[in-house]
């Protein structure tokens, strides 16, 4: 069911999707006041402008060309939206018409893109509900979408960029190649809800209108860096080469840097379950030597001397194994975040030591087994936690009850990293009951929370025939159990869109009483 959308919200949606790719107002016959147009013109000059293409009917897509017209301002788009069916949410550099009557557009080619604003996944069926799609996005893809538009036969899911990706012909359109790989991985990640993997990556899509918006969360956007890193991990999982990320770089030696010197003088490194240790440190140092172009024999002598100075040294066989792995060609360099964690654990004041690898360009790694990956990204830790909770939690329970220590040991995550993940994650939820050594911690995710609530509401409806009341009662029962960590606000927004009221917190009740 579509959400009622005001004209102001529709403008907010166009602003969020299109960024500054179009002018604010029409160059002629604008309805805006003169002061507003003058001020907008000043702002518009800061960014290069392009155009989008629009059509009035699906029948306008023909084999002999697309019958449509060109839009260069957001004002025109907002005025015409109700009479349109499709538009290109990504902006083109050059544009025009192929006929004298100006009915058929030209310029609709990927290499003519000026900027990519959003990735759109087409789901050409209504076998899946909006809730199914949202859960699939949270569980199986990069996260909650920015926008979902209903079409005649299905839905189109928008993942909007926080800043546009500008396309140029540099490095043989490298940016476009990167974007197409991200688009492909997004479509593949939503195969459980029948995403069309053959849909045009940057083509025409349903235009947001008053009656077809079924989900919107305009502050849920993604940086291109987030999408590249997520896409890398998808490539790993399906064993595709990571050819899309530039690998050309220049480098400066880092073996005399402060962080490198401090790490090789940390002699108390041992490590234990759930903590980085000697093997990790040696592997990191060996990778640095490899990236510096050292011969393997030279690196072996260096690592052997480092090992001798350790309070708890490894055997020569273990050193040889580490060195073989570092020089296997599967890894192109050490991870900055991995180094930072080693420094924080084993070097006094290590958290404040700057880590520079000297690489001017983008490192990437070749395919590795999941169990062998260097855990340098909090998103990977988050995914590990989610997979663990999903596998261990009973369907009859809202939470998986594990202490933080037990969770860390089960996954192999340092406590300090878990704390950071909980601050950043918008997918995890938790609760704590009791105090001190008697405290119990419950873990779940937004997706699992919603699934549980919907299942319980369905059971309530079967016995009493009142689904929405049942839904509200289940939420009332469990909502106050949750701690307000990062995912809390997203859950509230989701429940509100399901037309479920969240109970006021104790603090809100007190404040209302005082007021």
């Amino acid at each position: 069911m579509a959400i009622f959308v005001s004209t102001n919200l529709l403008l907010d949606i166009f602003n969020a999707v299109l960024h500054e790719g179009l002018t604010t107002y029409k160059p002629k016959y604008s309805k805006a006041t003169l002061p507003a147009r003058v001020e907008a013109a000043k702002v518009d000059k800061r960014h290069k402008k392009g155009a989008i293409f629009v059509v009035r009917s699906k029948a306008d897509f023909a084999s002999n060309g697309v019958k449509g017209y060109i839009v260069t301002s957001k004002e025109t788009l907002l005025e015409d939206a109700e009479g349109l069916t499709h538009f290109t949410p990504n902006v083109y550099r050059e544009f025009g018409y192929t006929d004298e009557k100006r009915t058929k557009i030209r310029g609709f080619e990927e290499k003519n893109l000026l900027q990519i604003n959003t990735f759109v996944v087409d789901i050409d069926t209504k076998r899946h509900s909006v809730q199914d799609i949202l859960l699939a996005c949270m569980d199986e893809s990069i996260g909650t979408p920015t926008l979902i538009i209903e079409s005649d036969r299905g839905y189109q899911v928008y993942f909007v960029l926080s800043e546009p990706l500008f396309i140029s012909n540099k490095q043989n359109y490298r940016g476009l190649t990167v974007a197409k790989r991200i688009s492909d991985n997004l479509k593949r990640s939503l195969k459980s809800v029948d995403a069309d993997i053959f849909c045009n990556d940057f083509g025409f899509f349903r235009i947001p209108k008053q009656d077809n918006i079924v989900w919107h969360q305009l502050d849920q956007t993604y940086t291109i860096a987030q999408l590249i890193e997520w896409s890398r991990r998808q490539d790993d999982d399906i064993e595709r080469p990571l050819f899309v990320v530039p690998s050309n770089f220049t480098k400066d030696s880092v073996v005399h840097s402060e962080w490198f010197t401090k790490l090789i003088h940390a002699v108390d490194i041992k490590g234990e379950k759930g903590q980085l240790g000697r093997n990790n440190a040696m592997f990191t140092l060996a990778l640095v030597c490899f990236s510096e172009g050292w011969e393997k024999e030279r690196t072996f002598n260096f690592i052997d001397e480092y090992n001798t100075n350790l309070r708890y040294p490894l055997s020569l066989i273990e050193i040889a194994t580490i060195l073989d792995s570092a020089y296997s060609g599967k890894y192109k360099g050490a991870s900055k975040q991995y180094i930072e964690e080693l420094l924080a654990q084993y070097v006094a004041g290590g958290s404040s030591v700057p880590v520079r690898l000297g690489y001017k360009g983008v490192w990437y790694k070749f395919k590795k087994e999941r169990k062998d990956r260097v855990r340098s990204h909090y998103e990977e830790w988050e995914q590990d936690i989610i997979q663990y909770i999903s596998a261990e939690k009973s369907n009859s329970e809202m939470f998986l009850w594990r202490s933080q220590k037990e969770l860390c040991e089960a996954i192999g995550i340092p406590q300090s990293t878990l704390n950071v993940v909980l601050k950043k994650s918008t997918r995890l939820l938790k609760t704590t009951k009791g105090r001190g050594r008697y405290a119990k911690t419950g873990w779940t995710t937004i997706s699992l929370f919603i699934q549980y609530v919907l299942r319980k509401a369905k059971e309530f409806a079967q016995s009493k025939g009142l689904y929405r009341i049942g839904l509200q009662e289940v939420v009332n029962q469990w909502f106050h159990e949750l701690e307000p960590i990062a995912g809390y606000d997203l859950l509230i927004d989701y429940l509100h869109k399901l037309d479920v009221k969240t109970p006021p917190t104790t603090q809100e009740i007190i404040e209302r009483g005082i007021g």
Side-chain angles (χ1 to χ4, degrees), residues 228-514:
I228 287 174
E229 191 52 50
W230 174 83
S231 187
R232 282 173 171 172
R233 297 198 297 274
Q234 306 311 301
D235 284 335
D236 272 356
D237 292 339
I238 60 175
E239 300 188 6
R240 285 203 291 191
L242 305 175
F243 69 86
V244 299
V245 181
S247 59
N248 294 330
F249 58 89
T250 58
K251 64 191 180 79
D252 302 314
S253 176
V254 296
V255 295
H256 300 297
S257 64
E258 180 185 7
W259 72 260
F260 192 88
T261 301
K262 286 184 176 295
L263 188 56
I264 63 176
H265 285 93
V267 298
D268 288 323
I269 296 180
K270 183 179 181 182
E272 54 188 34
K273 190 173 182 180
Q275 187 182 54
L276 303 180
R278 296 164 296 180
N279 296 65
N280 310 112
M282 287 188 195
F283 182 66
T284 296
L285 293 172
L287 283 175
V288 172
C289 295
F290 172 63
S291 66
E292 291 281 300
W294 288 18
E295 294 293 333
K296 191 174 181 181
E297 181 178 356
R298 179 184 177 186
T299 301
F300 179 85
N301 292 333
F302 170 75
I303 296 295
D304 183 37
E305 181 179 354
Y306 169 75
N307 183 59
T308 301
N309 292 328
L310 290 179
R311 186 163 297 178
Y312 306 99
L314 296 174
S315 67
L316 289 178
I317 294 177
E318 290 175 294
I319 293 175
T321 300
I322 291 170
L323 204 62
D324 287 341
S325 182
Y327 275 71
S328 66
K330 296 179 180 178
Y331 311 95
K332 294 289 282 185
S335 160
K336 180 180 178 181
Q337 289 183 326
Y338 204 52
I339 294 165
E340 288 173 340
E341 288 200 29
L342 285 167
L343 292 171
Q345 287 182 26
Y346 297 111
V347 174
S351 299
S352 61
V353 176
V355 175
R356 296 182 180 86
L357 295 176
Y359 308 123
K360 299 172 183 176
V362 184
W363 274 116
Y364 69 95
K365 57 182 173 50
F366 291 99
K367 165 67 184 174
K368 295 182 288 180
E369 292 299 322
R370 180 68 179 88
K371 62 183 177 61
D372 294 329
R373 291 185 197 169
V374 175
R375 315 296 274 287
S376 60
H377 300 282
Y378 291 112
E379 292 89 347
E380 290 192 38
W381 286 117
E382 177 190 53
Q383 189 58 40
D384 284 349
I385 295 169
I386 290 170
Q387 289 177 354
Y388 177 73
I389 294 171
S390 300
E392 295 291 320
K393 191 185 79 66
S394 168
N395 284 338
S396 61
E397 290 280 344
M398 169 62 80
F399 300 104
L400 170 68
W401 296 96
R402 296 284 189 278
S403 68
Q404 290 204 10
K405 182 179 179 182
E406 289 171 335
L407 183 70
C408 289
E409 289 179 350
I411 298 172
I413 179 174
Q415 178 71 54
S416 59
T417 304
L418 175 62
N419 292 336
V420 176
V421 171
L422 291 177
K423 289 179 181 179
K424 291 186 174 184
S425 174
T426 56
R427 302 169 71 186
L428 294 169
L429 298 169
K430 67 185 284 272
T431 185
T432 303
K433 287 188 174 181
R435 294 183 179 180
R437 62 178 181 173
Y438 300 108
K440 295 196 307 178
T441 303
W443 305 89
T444 191
T445 68
I446 291 178
S447 175
L448 292 172
F449 183 96
I450 295 296
Q451 289 179 37
Y452 180 89
V453 167
L454 294 177
R455 185 171 62 253
K456 287 296 181 181
K458 187 176 181 180
E459 293 172 3
F460 187 95
Q462 288 173 347
S463 62
K464 299 184 180 181
L466 299 169
Y467 180 83
R468 187 165 294 281
I469 294 175
L471 188 63
Q472 188 66 63
E473 286 199 5
V474 178
V475 171
N476 290 347
Q477 177 185 355
W478 287 104
F479 189 75
H480 284 309
E481 299 290 333
L482 302 172
E483 293 182 16
I485 58 175
Y488 186 82
D489 290 338
L490 182 60
L491 176 65
I492 291 175
D493 193 69
Y494 188 98
L495 291 172
H496 285 174
K497 286 182 171 65
L498 288 176
D499 200 23
V500 178
K501 296 179 181 179
T502 52
T505 64
T506 303
Q507 183 62 35
E508 286 173 338
I509 292 172
I510 293 172
E511 289 174 355
R512 290 175 188 175
I514 293 173

